[in-house]
Amino acid sequence: MDFSSITSLISDAYGSVQEFIFSNVVGPLLYQFDLMSWAEDVFDGIDWFLFGCVQVFLIVLVLRTWEHFAPAEKQERFAKSSRADVFYTLFHRLGIFHGLMFIALSGFFFQIDSILHDFRFDRLNVENWWPGITSIPVVSFLIYLVLLDFFDYLYHRASHAFNWWWQLHALHHSQTVMTAWSDNRNHLLDDIMRAVFLSLIALIFGVPPGQFIMLVALSQFIQSWQHANIKLHLGVGRYVLISPLYHRMHHAVGYGHEAKGKPGVLGGCNFGILFPWWDMLFSTAIFPKEVYPTGVRNLAVSQNILTQQWQGLVHAVKELLPK
């Protein structure tokens, strides 16, 4: 059996599962609550759930096993502080967050799209850059991946540059027991801001919806790997892809937040999301050889998810109020 046959079988199986879920679970619910006008969008939204299921399966089967055999630091098998991280991961990866975002912001993005159309804005579609080359789906996918990663780097660096923003992002850095579940340990408001920003970038560049879901899913899984408790040196590959040790340095006490070792001073290093190139370009890259403890100095965070969210919001508002 050749590669194209295998790909076709996987695609058919995926389509059958998607159709089964819609016909037997989602469709009847939409009909029951008189929401069939959402049927087409919800059918497409099942992609988020299915890709999320694959990610969670790989986190459990591959990444958690990898952590066991090549740990960066010794940990309890399932630390108490990681339980909230599992919830955050399931909330984000199984389509709940993206589904709520779509419902809440679909009208907003439709208006933005209409404004761009009214101004006859010609989207910066990668497919049109070099017809015959960039129009190849694999090529355009990789270019979109690099483009979105660049803007994600800018967003991430900005979250370390403003005190009020850092109060939200600090929740992500507060984890002292890094695992493959840690990536989605974020403040909800920060997640919403990031999702809106990247969606607008994708809209401006004309990223096809199907490709956008795959881009996000691939990026999410790589980021889960980068947050994992894995000691791995990539050799020359460290200049191509961000490794768990490289990203762990971003979370390290005294490096990932503080500038020049001064407590309370905004700064940091290794802001890259997937690729280290932007850090190398802007002189924010540190390629570590040692494993450093993670967390934020003098930051106490509750283990209760709702309290975590409330604390971050209160601290951010305080920073915005006149002193």
Side-chain angles (χ1 to χ4, degrees):
M1 184 178 291
D2 58 20
F3 179 76
S4 61
S5 299
I6 296 174
T7 303
S8 179
L9 283 174
I10 294 174
S11 178
D12 291 343
Y14 179 89
S16 297
V17 173
Q18 186 178 29
E19 181 65 39
F20 177 84
I21 293 174
F22 182 81
S23 300
N24 295 278
V25 180
V26 181
L29 287 175
L30 292 176
Y31 180 79
Q32 182 69 30
F33 292 98
D34 195 26
L35 296 173
M36 290 304 291
S37 60
W38 289 81
E40 184 176 347
D41 293 320
V42 171
F43 182 83
D44 293 336
I46 294 175
D47 283 326
W48 290 110
F49 173 74
L50 292 177
F51 277 113
C53 287
V54 173
Q55 289 184 66
V56 171
F57 175 77
L58 291 175
I59 288 172
V60 173
L61 184 68
V62 178
L63 299 186
R64 293 294 285 167
T65 302
W66 196 344
E67 287 179 327
H68 177 72
F69 288 104
E73 64 177 0
K74 292 183 178 180
Q75 298 176 350
E76 298 177 36
R77 181 58 182 166
F78 194 64
K80 184 178 180 180
S81 62
S82 295
R83 295 172 188 173
D85 296 0
V86 175
F87 173 83
Y88 282 123
T89 301
L90 296 178
F91 177 75
H92 281 80
R93 302 298 172 88
L94 297 184
I96 301 171
F97 173 76
H98 291 287
L100 294 175
M101 281 290 295
F102 178 80
I103 293 172
L105 299 173
S106 59
F108 169 72
F109 283 113
F110 180 78
Q111 290 179 353
I112 295 295
D113 196 29
S114 298
I115 292 172
L116 292 176
H117 184 268
D118 290 342
F119 278 91
R120 296 185 179 181
F121 175 79
D122 189 13
R123 295 185 186 180
L124 309 175
N125 294 65
V126 165
E127 289 82 357
N128 297 331
W129 290 4
W130 188 356
I133 301 298
T134 58
S135 56
I136 299 173
V138 173
V139 175
S140 64
F141 181 87
L142 293 175
I143 295 175
Y144 282 131
L145 189 67
V146 173
L147 281 172
L148 289 175
D149 187 66
F150 171 68
F151 285 101
D152 212 0
Y153 167 86
L154 296 178
Y155 178 93
H156 187 194
R157 191 165 180 182
S159 68
H160 284 251
F162 302 93
N163 277 299
W164 68 269
W165 202 339
W166 167 252
Q167 300 306 319
L168 300 177
H169 188 57
L171 172 59
H172 181 69
H173 280 255
S174 66
Q175 181 56 276
T176 59
V177 184
M178 295 279 287
T179 73
W181 298 110
S182 299
D183 177 43
N184 289 118
R185 180 189 179 93
N186 299 312
H187 196 281
L188 185 59
L189 180 56
D190 194 17
D191 274 330
I192 291 172
M193 291 163 54
R194 182 186 179 200
V196 171
F197 174 72
L198 291 179
S199 296
L200 286 173
I201 296 299
L203 184 66
I204 290 172
F205 279 93
V207 182
Q211 273 202 356
F212 184 65
I213 294 175
M214 294 181 66
L215 287 164
V216 171
L218 177 60
S219 176
Q220 284 179 332
F221 183 70
I222 294 175
Q223 289 174 68
S224 291
W225 170 69
Q226 291 165 344
H227 285 81
N229 180 39
I230 296 173
K231 188 172 184 178
L232 175 67
H233 294 282
L234 294 180
V236 295
R238 67 185 184 274
Y239 300 118
V240 178
L241 185 66
I242 289 174
S243 70
L245 280 182
Y246 181 95
H247 189 70
R248 186 185 180 88
M249 191 71 181
H250 176 70
H251 283 259
V253 178
Y255 292 93
H257 162 53
E258 299 166 10
K260 298 180 181 178
K262 299 177 181 179
V265 179
L266 287 172
C269 63
N270 297 14
F271 299 100
I273 308 302
L274 301 182
F275 311 114
W277 311 326
W278 322 121
D279 282 312
M280 295 163 66
L281 180 63
F282 295 107
S283 301
T284 55
I286 296 177
F287 293 94
K289 295 181 180 179
E290 303 297 328
V291 176
Y292 295 90
T294 62
V296 180
R297 203 190 312 268
N298 300 323
L299 177 65
V301 176
S302 168
Q303 296 303 321
N304 182 279
I305 292 171
L306 294 178
T307 304
Q308 289 176 356
Q309 297 294 312
W310 176 249
Q311 286 176 334
L313 186 61
V314 169
H315 293 159
V317 171
K318 284 182 179 179
E319 288 293 335
L320 288 171
L321 292 176
K323 293 194 166 58

